Amino acid sequence: MFAANRVTFWVCGQQTGLHLPRAALTPFSPAIQTRSYLRLYPSIAAVLQAPVASGPSKDPTVSADDTITVNGFVRSVRRHKHICFAAVGDGSTTQPLQVVLTPAQAENLSTGASISISGQWQPSPRGKEQQHELLAENLRVLGEADPTVGEDNTANRVVKKLETQRQTYPLQKKYQTPDYLRTIPHLRSRIPFNSLLLRLRSRSIEALTRYFAKNDIWQTHPPIITSSDCEGAGEVFTVTARHATRKAKIPQSERQDEPFFRSPKYLTVSSQLHLEALAQSVGRVWTLSPTFRAEGSDTSRHLSEFYMLEAELSFANELAEIMNLVEHLLKYLCGVLSSTHFKEELISAMGTGDASREEGAIMTESKLESRWDSLLRRSDQGVERMWPRITYSKALQHLQEAVEMKRATFEHPLGWSLGLQSEHEKFITEDIGKGVPVFVTDYPREIKAFYMAPSPTLTYTHGPAPQGPTVACFDLLMPDIGEVAGGSMRENRLPELLESMRRHGLVKPSLSSLADGNPIAPNEDLGSLKWYAELRRWGSVPHGGFGLGFDRLLSYLSGVPNVRDVATFPRWPGRCDC
């Protein structure tokens, strides 16, 4: 049953519970208005964070000597002659719960084993790091760390068994390199810091969902299998089907994969095109979907499969509206996470060395805290300040002047049609942004996608004139990591869109004249993009949107230098382990 502030859990038909403060009873806590069918153990985080009373009290606290039950995994075991201690975690916090055991109870425990413990919650002796500890009364080993270890009936059975387990369980209590952990992606999330990354991902999605809901931006689920390459770069994974029963007798060298959908289809590189269609139904839409790129980039910023946060806004008239949304969204997310314990846990992990570190990558507590502060970016009077916004022409001029004045040297050359490389982006955030994110707008038309609308003429009234046609787009650059998001105004006029498609080679050139006002020549075929062009024929509206690399964002917020260590099961060229 439920008292006013008491969280009651039904465990194996028995009642147990914790007195938690009202503040802990969030809409996402187990204290839902229900009774019989909710059977959840309290998390270790809930136990450690709940205030404790030393005696009878009316305050909403955990009473000393309460009997509680927790589940978790053994992180370490310390054995003494008459008493043993086990550090137990369940991923809900980086801080372990200390369990006091008898030697008999600790006999078969080893690092990595899953256990269920019931006992008395009592104050720790003075001088201990933790304030309270669990005095175990009943302990059950739910799963041994290495159940394949054979029995040994000698007097040293326990010692030999534990030694064998220490050799076989991959996650011992020591520093594990990121390279090593990438070989065991199915286990590495059990490390406290990696569990924190999972919780950071979950809470970030929760906050983003709440933000979009408050602003009437509707979540949608666009397809993963698509008929076109949104970006036009050709870096796609092709979807094929193999029918084992029909081809069982055909030699592998002679087999041919037949199109399952009658024509070639691909794993999506972006949901943007489909979101544009959906946005004309409800006005504003967003999605967080897996995205696939078959490019060969083998860097710390690239994955072959990653999550993209994308949004499309109908009736948006200026690029500034899209940039304002992105900036406000990220500041909101950072503010929500800062008001919880995630920021403190991440910074603490940097101080203790628990965080995933690349060789040569330096991330300190102060630097990570500075990252979070730069996202919120407030003046000395506490007034929110906008992130800098400069045109591509201005950014290119700034980079060229830095080289001429010998303030910077770059490996990659600078040029109007060459775009910005990672080293250029990092210099811009350091030299122009002074450590805060920077929007770079109005890139050359020739290096951007076909669907982008041209830049307004007024864009260049202040600053250097462009060296060629530009489009109304932006890249959001963040310190140390470079591009995190990109967006643009979409070309909503059919003739102009078709002309752009022709320039990009997406429509075969036609020698036929346009007849009857039809912008498509008689012998032109739009192929898989016909449906996209048709959106401009019936009730098209000015609109724009953006795509944000969600894994890169989490990499930036957590201080993890390699995006492969943020993704749960990373895929990159040559690697797709499980």
Side-chain angles (χ1 to χ4, degrees):
M1 67 179 182
F2 288 85
N5 293 343
R6 181 178 174 83
V7 182
T8 303
F9 302 88
W10 292 87
V11 181
C12 301
Q14 297 182 353
Q15 179 180 347
T16 183
L18 292 176
H19 290 284
L20 298 181
R22 288 186 182 272
L25 306 185
T26 67
F28 299 93
S29 72
I32 307 171
Q33 297 302 315
T34 184
R35 292 176 181 270
S36 59
Y37 64 82
L38 180 63
R39 293 179 173 87
L40 297 175
Y41 287 94
S43 67
I44 288 178
V47 173
L48 294 176
Q49 293 171 9
V52 180
S54 58
S57 173
K58 295 182 180 180
D59 294 332
T61 59
V62 180
S63 299
D65 299 328
D66 268 0
T67 298
I68 62 173
T69 300
V70 295
N71 298 318
F73 296 87
V74 177
R75 294 184 184 174
S76 64
V77 181
R78 291 182 290 122
R79 291 178 170 83
H80 303 282
K81 186 174 182 180
H82 300 294
I83 193 172
C84 298
F85 300 94
V88 179
D90 64 355
S92 62
T93 175
T94 55
Q95 181 182 357
L97 181 144
Q98 178 162 288
V99 181
V100 182
L101 306 164
T102 64
Q105 290 173 322
E107 179 180 355
N108 293 320
L109 287 189
S110 63
T111 300
S114 59
I115 60 176
S116 178
I117 322 106
S118 298
Q120 298 293 318
W121 186 242
Q122 63 178 23
S124 300
R126 290 186 177 181
K128 298 292 184 179
E129 181 179 351
Q130 69 286 342
Q131 295 181 347
H132 290 77
E133 57 194 10
L134 182 61
L135 181 60
E137 296 175 347
N138 180 45
L139 183 147
R140 289 185 299 139
V141 177
L142 305 176
E144 296 182 345
D146 190 357
T148 62
V149 175
E151 291 293 331
D152 188 334
N153 295 321
T154 65
N156 296 324
R157 175 180 62 83
V158 174
V159 174
K160 289 185 177 181
K161 184 174 182 179
L162 292 175
E163 288 177 350
T164 305
Q165 288 178 327
R166 278 195 289 269
Q167 294 171 359
T168 58
Y169 182 62
L171 300 176
Q172 294 300 317
K173 189 181 179 182
K174 62 179 182 179
Y175 175 72
Q176 314 282 354
T177 66
D179 281 339
Y180 169 71
L181 292 175
R182 289 172 203 144
T183 66
I184 50 172
H186 57 301
L187 296 175
R188 68 175 185 173
S189 59
R190 299 187 188 184
I191 291 178
F193 184 77
N194 286 356
S195 299
L196 173 58
L197 293 180
L198 283 179
R199 291 186 284 115
L200 175 66
R201 178 182 291 266
S202 178
R203 282 294 181 258
S204 296
I205 295 173
E206 174 192 325
L208 292 170
T209 302
R210 188 184 304 121
Y211 177 87
F212 284 125
K214 287 181 178 179
N215 290 279
D216 289 335
I217 304 176
W218 305 98
Q219 184 176 18
T220 60
H221 297 105
I224 300 300
I225 300 175
T226 67
S227 57
S228 60
D229 172 12
C230 174
E231 300 296 330
E235 299 167 335
V236 295
F237 290 100
T238 302
V239 177
T240 59
R242 292 187 177 181
H243 305 282
T245 55
R246 186 169 57 184
K247 297 186 177 182
K249 298 180 181 181
I250 304 176
Q252 182 71 32
S253 59
E254 300 178 10
R255 295 182 186 180
Q256 295 182 356
D257 294 326
E258 301 175 359
F260 185 82
F261 297 102
R262 296 184 297 181
S263 61
K265 296 295 180 281
Y266 316 97
L267 294 180
T268 182
V269 299
S270 171
S271 298
Q272 178 208 315
L273 304 189
H274 294 92
L275 288 179
E276 287 189 52
L278 298 176
Q280 294 194 21
S281 302
V282 291
R284 297 184 290 265
V285 296
W286 74 281
T287 189
L288 180 62
S289 301
T291 303
F292 306 86
R293 301 284 172 91
E295 57 183 309
S297 299
D298 190 12
T299 74
S300 61
R301 303 191 307 149
H302 291 86
L303 291 169
S304 300
E305 177 187 357
F306 56 95
Y307 272 76
M308 183 81 78
L309 176 70
E310 298 180 84
E312 287 293 323
L313 280 67
S314 293
F315 307 102
N317 295 298
E318 297 180 349
L319 185 65
E321 297 177 47
I322 310 301
M323 291 189 287
N324 291 344
L325 173 63
V326 173
E327 181 170 350
H328 192 260
L329 170 68
L330 293 179
K331 287 181 176 179
Y332 172 86
L333 172 62
C334 190
V336 169
L337 294 176
S338 295
S339 66
T340 66
H341 58 278
F342 282 102
K343 178 181 176 182
E344 287 70 23
E345 278 194 281
L346 288 166
I347 293 174
S348 175
M350 287 298 164
T352 59
D354 292 337
S356 177
R357 297 178 184 273
E358 284 286 326
E359 184 177 355
I362 301 176
M363 176 56 62
T364 62
E365 298 172 75
S366 59
K367 187 173 182 180
L368 182 61
E369 188 165 12
S370 176
R371 275 189 179 183
W372 285 64
D373 293 341
S374 69
L375 286 175
L376 294 172
R377 199 188 186 213
R378 301 183 185 277
S379 65
D380 296 337
Q381 292 74 32
V383 179
E384 182 176 306
R385 294 185 294 179
M386 301 289 286
W387 296 340
R389 302 178 182 186
I390 62 169
T391 64
Y392 177 88
S393 301
K394 179 65 176 177
L396 185 61
Q397 180 189 57
H398 188 86
L399 292 169
Q400 291 171 337
E401 290 176 351
V403 172
E404 293 172 0
M405 298 173 64
K406 298 184 178 180
R407 294 196 301 113
T409 57
F410 300 114
E411 178 182 350
H412 297 88
L414 295 166
W416 172 253
S417 61
L418 298 179
L420 301 178
Q421 302 299 319
S422 177
E423 58 179 341
H424 306 145
E425 296 172 345
K426 291 179 180 179
F427 182 84
I428 290 172
T429 58
E430 293 171 1
D431 204 58
I432 297 178
K434 306 299 182 183
V436 304
V438 177
F439 286 102
V440 178
T441 67
D442 303 284
Y443 281 71
R445 183 181 67 184
E446 60 192 280
I447 64 174
K448 286 298 183 178
F450 74 95
Y451 50 74
M452 295 184 179
S455 301
T457 305
L458 294 178
T459 299
Y460 302 104
T461 55
H462 303 286
Q467 301 175 29
T470 62
V471 287
C473 68
F474 70 84
D475 281 350
L476 175 61
L477 312 181
M478 286 191 172
D480 302 319
I481 201 170
E483 180 193 353
V484 170
S488 74
M489 296 300 295
R490 317 308 190 191
E491 180 55 80
N492 64 294
R493 301 163 299 176
L494 181 57
E496 286 76 5
L497 176 65
L498 293 174
E499 184 59 34
S500 178
M501 293 171 66
R502 295 185 185 104
R503 284 196 304 269
H504 284 79
L506 300 176
V507 179
K508 293 182 179 180
S510 172
L511 299 178
S512 302
S513 60
L514 304 181
D516 301 327
N518 188 345
I520 305 175
N523 67 339
E524 283 186 324
D525 182 10
L526 303 185
S528 61
L529 290 173
K530 179 181 178 181
W531 68 271
Y532 180 71
E534 286 182 346
L535 295 175
R536 274 71 179 167
R537 299 187 68 178
W538 300 298
S540 179
V541 300
H543 62 285
F546 70 89
L548 183 148
F550 191 58
D551 298 282
R552 282 192 188 178
L553 175 63
L554 295 180
S555 175
Y556 184 77
L557 292 176
S558 63
V560 176
N562 196 318
V563 71
R564 296 171 184 172
D565 301 322
V566 174
T568 52
F569 292 91
R571 282 84 166 89
W572 69 91
R575 294 293 295 273
C576 182
D577 293 340
C578 62

